[in-house]
Amino acid sequence: MKPEVSFAHLHRLSDDTGLFEHARGAVPRREHGYCLDDVARGLLVICREPEPDAGLTALAETYLAFIAHAQDPDGAFHNRLGLDRLWHDEPGVGDWWGRALWGLGTAAVRGPAPWIQSAALALFDSSATLRSPWSRSNTFAALGAAEILAADPGHDAARDLLADAAKLIGAPRADAAWPWPEPWLSYANAAPAEVLIAAGHLLDDERLLADGLLLLGWLLDEQTRDGHLSLTPAGGHGRGWTGPGFDQQPIEAAALADACARALAVTGADRWEAGLACAMAWFLGMNDSGVPLADQRTGGCCDGLERDGRNENQGAESTLALISALQHGRT
């Protein structure tokens, strides 16, 4: 029996401004303030809910307002807001820009109220013509573009963003032992494969689709040990590495869950259903340490898997990763 998706800890980490980034155990660490990265992911998971209640809808409104406040007139975004309600950085197009567009693209299509959808689309359009020099940033943004393009095939900015991101990711290498287009596995590694799958499907490009499925299959094999996921650790790894490695991060399992869910929706193949099940099971203790990361008492998720246990802190990124992965288990 799959555990139910809980938003209890997300509510605990949130206030009327946004979503606190860090926690000590399950207690929010307010002194560290907020980051757009997490707020955007919070908006995304709420908009994935088929019937969000009034409390979640209110959170979505708060998160959307935070994103709007973070956006500068040129379409770049601030990331870090202090408890003093002042921005502690300059606007940019790093990962937070990409995740903002991912959240906005999802809200534009699946937001819990019509006004949220229209406001999110306007914010997305204001930033969608920008490009980041970092591949992962464009990758995250492209996942938001895919949401919009699936609902509106005539949205040119979303189409261009998705196509450009797929081009930047590149094709698999002609090396069966290491087909990954980068020399190093770093973080959210399944996201580039998901973008290629989405681009192949939505842009009617069979080569891109095949490339994405090949990379996702290889990544699953690379990160599976003794029948369970053995994820790339926080420090990453290159060719020839042998694991397991720690500190394993929930974002890795969540990215695999997202990519396998998309591959399953596009192809219907059993392999991706099995991959999705392994990604969810990683949170519940089917991992290298045999320790659950999900805390069913709090609704939160521990911040990392260690060789002899887990990081007991339950920050926003980890909790959002758990929610995102378990949401796929209902479909």
Side-chain angles (χ1 to χ4, degrees):
M1 182 176 180
K2 299 183 180 73
E4 293 187 5
V5 178
S6 171
F7 288 90
H9 194 50
L10 193 66
H11 281 289
R12 189 177 297 114
L13 290 170
S14 300
D15 65 3
D16 60 0
T17 296
L19 176 59
F20 290 109
E21 181 178 10
H22 295 298
R24 180 181 290 109
V27 179
R29 297 194 66 176
R30 295 172 179 267
E31 68 272 22
H32 290 287
Y34 320 82
C35 71
L36 178 63
D37 251 338
D38 293 330
V39 172
R41 283 180 279 203
L43 180 64
L44 185 153
V45 298
I46 292 173
C47 292
R48 285 180 172 178
E49 283 294 290
E51 296 180 356
D53 61 23
L56 285 181
T57 298
L59 276 189
E61 294 171 356
T62 297
Y63 296 163
L64 182 64
F66 187 104
I67 296 171
H69 181 48
Q71 189 180 50
D72 85 345
D74 295 328
F77 286 91
H78 292 279
N79 186 34
R80 299 200 169 276
L81 186 74
L83 194 59
D84 56 8
R85 306 305 194 267
L86 297 175
W87 293 110
H88 292 190
D89 62 359
E90 295 299 320
V93 289
D95 283 1
W96 59 92
W97 165 82
R99 288 198 175 102
L101 288 183
W102 189 2
L104 290 170
T106 305
V109 175
R110 304 198 234 175
W115 80 265
I116 290 177
Q117 294 178 11
S118 60
L121 181 60
L123 292 168
F124 178 93
D125 287 342
S126 294
S127 294
T129 57
L130 299 182
R131 298 293 182 268
S132 174
W134 297 287
S135 178
R136 278 297 187 280
S137 304
N138 292 304
T139 292
F140 296 139
L143 291 171
E147 290 281 346
I148 291 176
L149 197 61
D152 178 11
H155 195 287
D156 290 337
R159 176 176 292 272
D160 291 345
L161 179 53
L162 181 58
D164 288 349
K167 182 177 180 180
L168 186 61
I169 291 165
R173 298 181 184 215
D175 180 352
W178 191 270
W180 200 248
E182 301 167 329
W184 194 258
L185 287 175
S186 53
Y187 64 100
N189 289 293
E194 184 185 357
V195 165
L196 294 181
I197 294 167
H201 177 61
L202 295 170
L203 303 179
D204 196 24
D205 188 321
E206 293 185 3
R207 181 189 61 79
L208 284 178
L209 177 58
D211 287 350
L213 293 171
L214 185 154
L215 289 176
L216 180 58
W218 175 83
L219 189 63
L220 270 175
D221 291 343
E222 182 76 4
Q223 299 192 110
T224 299
R225 179 189 303 271
D226 299 328
H228 63 259
L229 287 186
S230 180
L231 297 174
T232 299
H237 72 80
R239 179 173 178 159
W241 179 85
T242 58
F246 304 89
D247 162 36
Q248 295 179 28
Q249 299 285 297
I251 188 177
E252 292 305 311
L256 273 170
D258 279 348
C260 287
R262 187 178 295 273
L264 178 61
V266 170
T267 70
D270 291 344
R271 181 181 192 186
W272 312 122
E273 185 172 14
L276 175 56
C278 283
M280 291 186 291
W282 181 88
F283 288 94
L284 308 179
M286 291 291 292
N287 53 49
D288 285 321
S289 297
V291 176
L293 278 293
D295 186 338
Q296 297 189 40
R297 303 167 304 166
T298 66
C301 179
C302 295
D303 281 347
L305 186 71
E306 308 295 350
R307 186 176 300 278
D308 299 316
R310 63 191 187 182
N311 181 333
E312 295 290 345
N313 296 327
Q314 300 178 14
E317 177 180 279
S318 303
T319 295
L320 291 163
L322 171 66
I323 292 170
S324 173
L326 293 186
Q327 283 177 319
H328 292 304
R330 301 182 305 198
T331 59

